[in-house]
Amino acid sequence: MASREDIADARRALPHIRVSDAIRRYVVDLVRATRTAAGVALGASPRAALILIRVAQALAAFDGLAYVTPEQ
């Protein structure tokens, strides 16, 4: 089980996990596609794009990487 300090350390590490411009563009394109997709009533917000990047950074950190890969 993770302690509060473990979680705090992980949160502080996230901004240091690099995200390439290509991955950032992919996230923006993905979010934009949800806004124009047939059958989707309410697309993802810009905030959703930021959250997707944060989740990718967290997954990279869990994998022991200093950068996000497309697999995250």
Side-chain angles (χ1 to χ4, degrees):
M1 179 180 278
S3 69
R4 287 182 188 213
E5 189 61 32
D6 292 336
I7 294 169
D9 289 344
R11 290 187 70 161
R12 283 190 291 272
L14 286 186
H16 302 288
I17 304 294
R18 293 185 313 269
V19 181
S20 71
D21 289 340
I23 290 179
R24 289 182 192 278
R25 281 191 301 273
Y26 175 76
V27 169
V28 169
D29 291 345
L30 181 64
V31 167
R32 186 176 295 136
T34 68
R35 293 169 166 252
T36 59
V40 176
L42 183 62
S45 69
R47 187 173 295 182
L50 297 174
I51 296 301
L52 282 173
I53 289 173
R54 285 287 189 177
V55 168
Q57 288 173 306
L59 290 172
F62 287 137
D63 289 342
L65 300 172
Y67 54 90
V68 171
T69 66
E71 290 77 27
Q72 262 77 47

